Amino acid sequence: DAKLEGPHTIRFFNPSMQENVSRRLHLESAMRNALENNHFHFFVQPQVDSQHHVTGVELLMRWSDAELGYVPPSEFIPVAEATGLIVPMGEWLLSEAARLMQRWQEDPLLRDLTVAVNISAKQFRHAGFVDMIKRLIQQPNVNASLLELEITESMLIEDVQNTVRRISKLNEWGVRFSLDDFGTGYASLSYLKQLPIYQLKIDQSFIRDILTDTNDEIIVSTILGLGRSMGLEVIAEGVETAQQARRLNEMGCAKYQGFHFGRPASPVEWEARLRESRLTIYAGGS
Ligand code: C2E
Ligand code: MG
Ligand code: MG
Ligand code: MG
């Protein structure tokens, strides 16, 4: 705090701030470029049920820039949100999701997999959002009821009525909503009650130490109870070990996502693995 340092040491700018600003500007122009040249791609990560069978995947955006190298979504998504680039980027990913669903629809081993896509607040509020989704799901071989949109609590704070209206509209067409990073935001339970969502995703920060931290265990079992009483499905994210999965199962959690069940990888890679594991399941193995 500058005040405590005395009048001679007040600093309102420092080199690291300048570095941050120029990195951000660099990121922004590199992102525009990547978008134009189709340099973004995405990974998929499986979601599994209590028998550890894959029920669907989450799409996660990936980007490697020639100069900047690999840039994690935790760095580029906030810049995309701040600049508005998230709207065209998100639209690109959703059209990829539709293509993936069309391809999987042709494959008896993959046709029932759900496809989850993260939607940022700015994207969700954008005027064209609902119509854009409608156009996507009206394409041939896109089964809208397999599309899940992940939103976060933060977007419920403002304009709850409008949020509910949009979600309801998309629900009518079969699209389902999931509340991501649940437990880390500010959504009050009264908002939650109004919200036509079908799933809560327990944030990974509560799963990490679930075996050793009683507070985390209490929070997780509270969310599971909330889900049960509100008729919502609950999925735990960030499940990294068999012990965590077992504990969650004992607590009544029946869906999981995390490194223990599969790391994010290219859709082609996961398609091959899923076909193989599902062939085994259908042949009577497990
Ligand atoms: P998220 O939606 O909560 O996604 C889960 C994140 O947890 C992913 O990080 C995933 O790789 C990571 N993860 C999965 N299993 C484990 C595990 O067992 N342990 C640990 N430590 N991590 C695990 P990722 O891909 O870096 O994405 C980070 C966040 O960036 C996402 O969090 C999401 O909020 C955002 N994001 C990613 N792709 C998109 C996108 O296409 N659109 C938007 N709006 N946001 C995105
Ligand atoms: Mg997510
Ligand atoms: Mg999450
Ligand atoms: Mg997150």
Side-chain angles (χ1 to χ4, degrees), residues 19-48:
E19 247 166 56
N20 287 343
V21 170
S22 56
R23 180 164 172 91
R24 213 193 110 152
L25 287 175
H26 192 154
L27 271 175
E28 189 185 334
S29 65
M31 278 165 62
R32 287 186 196 283
N33 202 38
L35 198 57
E36 266 167 38
N37 297 298
N38 207 14
H39 285 167
F40 284 106
H41 58 122
F42 66 92
F43 274 0
V44 304
Q45 184 180 32
Q47 301 180 333
V48 306

Side-chain angles (χ1 to χ4, degrees), residues 247-263:
R247 185 75 197 98
L248 284 161
N249 186 262
E250 287 162 5
M251 293 169 77
C253 182
K255 274 195 113 180
Y256 325 93
Q257 181 180 343
F259 295 167
H260 176 62
F261 297 105
R263 291 193 175 247

Side-chain angles (χ1 to χ4, degrees), residues 7 12 16 18 22 30 42 63 69 96 127 157 177 201 203 234 254 261:
F12 44 83
S16 83
Q18 176 148 36
S22 56
F42 66 92
W63 179 37
E96 288 295 312
I157 300 167
F177 281 78
K201 280 192 99 166
D203 190 66
V234 180
F261 297 105

